[in-house]
Amino acid sequence: MTALLYILLAIVIAVAIWQVASILKLKGVIATEKDNNTQGVLFAVFGIFFYGLMIFCFVKYSSILLPDAASVEGERYDTLYAVTMILILVVQAITQFLLFYFAFKYRGVNGRKALFYADSHKLEMIWTIIPAVVLAGLVLYGLSVWIDVMDASDAEDPLIVEVYAKQFQWEARYAGEDNELGLANVRNIKGINTMGVDMTDKNALDDIPTRELHLPKGRKVIFKFRSQDVLHSAFMPHFRAQMNCVPGMVTQFAFTPSLTTEEMRLNEKTITKVNNINKIRTEKGEDPYEFDYLLLCNKICGSSHYNMQMKIVVEEESQFNTWLNSQKTMAQVVQ
């Protein structure tokens, strides 16, 4: 390995010397008007190609983007994202156009001199104040969205759910009838008590452990996150929600599901995406894919990180209550 590094270093040094020699050799060469015209035309042609490629990518690959947000808070996030992207695209389109246009229009021409322009306080004020105001507006709106996701103190009858991360799977625990999760610690992990729930805590007895997340449509859900081993990241892309799961501490976020699983399956973008996936799976001789919400890990947490996921089912609240009432409590499972 050391020998390989020395060889690579030698190659880099040789290339650097060659480049410096080339620059010194061309130092006395003056570009002709023909050279300037050629370069100007090439800039203009590349500008047209650049914009054409950008438009093609937008049209061609828009189908791989996520469908509509499946949570109330996610809709606000999408609005923030859309506003930000529109601003970026408008500024990018203008500045890139000026870059290519100026390179063509103001290419070197015999007898034409460049205008020396020292400074302008007016221009400095304009391109300092406008970006500052726009960025401040984006930051303030983003902060309001963040607070909406993080602060659930004003939620009426929220559902409390703990999501427990470990290499390489997820587990969940619903607060029982008291709507309060019992204490838990990794030191309590033993046998079937895989989440380390403190069974001496009376609030833990009616908690409900599951290996699949069910969420009611239209009711705010407060998620509490713990990690058993390393840093994980709970990522629910369709709800536009993500939070790190940190060993030794509890993190949280909240959102209100707005589309059931069945409703999302009927979404036009979802149908297009599923059809494209199933076309590929059919060519490979694999079983067809059916859309489901998923909880994923968005941190590279080990060798099986890619397979760390949990199915999420969003349903009407009456269906959710029927499912939840059919599950066993911690007292029934452990004791």
Side-chain angles (χ1 to χ4, degrees):
M1 180 59 71
T2 304
L4 178 60
L5 290 175
Y6 282 131
I7 293 172
L8 291 175
L9 180 61
I11 293 173
V12 170
I13 293 174
V15 171
I17 293 173
W18 175 70
Q19 289 286 357
V20 171
S22 298
I23 293 172
L24 293 175
K25 182 179 179 181
L26 294 173
K27 185 177 180 180
V29 178
I30 300 176
T32 64
E33 188 167 341
K34 181 180 178 181
D35 294 331
N36 293 333
N37 286 333
T38 301
Q39 296 300 319
V41 171
L42 288 175
F43 255 96
V45 171
F46 181 77
I48 295 171
F49 168 77
F50 178 83
Y51 280 97
L53 180 63
M54 186 173 67
I55 294 170
F56 169 78
C57 289
F58 273 114
V59 175
K60 176 71 174 177
Y61 299 109
S62 61
S63 61
I64 68 174
L65 299 176
L66 287 169
D68 301 331
S71 67
V72 174
E73 294 76 11
E75 293 171 6
R76 295 191 64 199
Y77 175 90
D78 280 356
T79 300
L80 174 62
Y81 176 80
V83 170
T84 304
M85 289 305 298
I86 289 171
L87 284 172
I88 290 173
L89 289 172
V90 169
V91 173
Q92 182 266 346
I94 294 173
T95 53
Q96 290 289 345
F97 171 78
L98 292 176
L99 173 67
F100 295 122
Y101 176 71
F102 283 4
F104 172 75
K105 181 174 177 58
Y106 299 108
R107 64 194 182 277
V109 176
N110 290 336
R112 184 165 67 184
K113 294 183 178 180
L115 173 66
F116 176 74
Y117 194 79
D119 56 57
S120 169
H121 295 301
K122 184 177 180 181
L123 281 178
E124 293 283 354
M125 292 290 288
I126 290 173
W127 66 47
T128 300
I129 293 175
I130 292 179
V133 171
V134 172
L135 288 174
L138 289 175
V139 169
L140 289 174
Y141 182 72
L143 184 61
S144 71
V145 174
W146 175 252
I147 292 173
D148 192 29
V149 172
M150 296 300 295
D151 182 14
S153 58
D154 60 344
E156 296 182 6
D157 188 32
L159 178 68
I160 312 296
V161 183
E162 179 186 75
V163 175
Y164 188 62
K166 59 182 177 180
Q167 295 175 314
F168 297 97
Q169 68 181 49
W170 299 98
E171 295 183 60
R173 178 166 59 114
Y174 291 80
E177 293 183 2
D178 58 4
N179 205 30
E180 185 173 346
L181 289 167
L183 299 175
N185 192 291
V186 292
R187 295 182 180 87
N188 298 322
I189 295 175
K190 184 178 181 181
I192 200 169
N193 187 3
T194 54
M195 286 186 283
V197 179
D198 184 354
M199 297 307 296
T200 64
D201 182 1
K202 64 178 183 179
N203 292 323
L205 300 179
D206 62 350
D207 291 349
I208 301 170
T210 68
R211 296 296 178 93
E212 184 175 275
L213 269 177
H214 283 242
L215 305 177
K217 175 184 175 181
R219 182 180 176 187
K220 176 153 281 191
V221 184
I222 300 176
F223 292 90
K224 308 281 188 177
F225 299 98
R226 290 193 302 130
S227 173
Q228 177 176 308
D229 35 49
V230 299
L231 186 67
H232 298 277
S233 187
F235 181 38
M236 307 180 193
H238 294 90
F239 304 99
R240 312 299 193 260
Q242 178 173 314
M243 178 56 65
N244 284 346
C245 306
V246 184
M249 67 181 295
V250 177
T251 55
Q252 79 168 47
F253 65 54
F255 64 76
T256 307
S258 58
L259 293 171
T260 66
T261 300
E262 293 300 327
E263 288 172 336
M264 184 57 83
R265 286 173 179 170
L266 297 176
N267 181 280
E268 184 178 345
K269 292 181 180 178
T270 304
I271 293 173
T272 300
K273 186 183 292 289
V274 170
N275 289 340
N276 290 337
I277 293 173
N278 283 333
K279 182 179 178 181
I280 297 173
R281 293 179 70 89
T282 300
E283 293 173 354
K284 293 181 177 180
E286 299 175 350
D287 295 333
Y289 159 77
E290 184 177 44
F291 172 83
D292 278 309
Y293 293 122
L294 290 174
L295 164 61
L296 307 171
C297 179
N298 210 22
K299 285 285 187 292
I300 302 177
C301 58
S303 58
S304 293
H305 151 76
Y306 70 95
N307 202 34
M308 186 172 169
Q309 55 187 257
M310 175 188 278
K311 180 180 176 181
I312 304 174
V313 178
V314 179
E315 52 202 351
E316 298 295 341
E317 188 156 10
S318 58
Q319 295 174 298
F320 167 78
N321 290 333
T322 300
W323 172 84
L324 190 63
N325 292 331
S326 68
Q327 305 301 306
K328 293 182 179 179
T329 65
M330 286 297 302
Q332 293 171 321
V333 171
V334 177
Q335 294 179 349

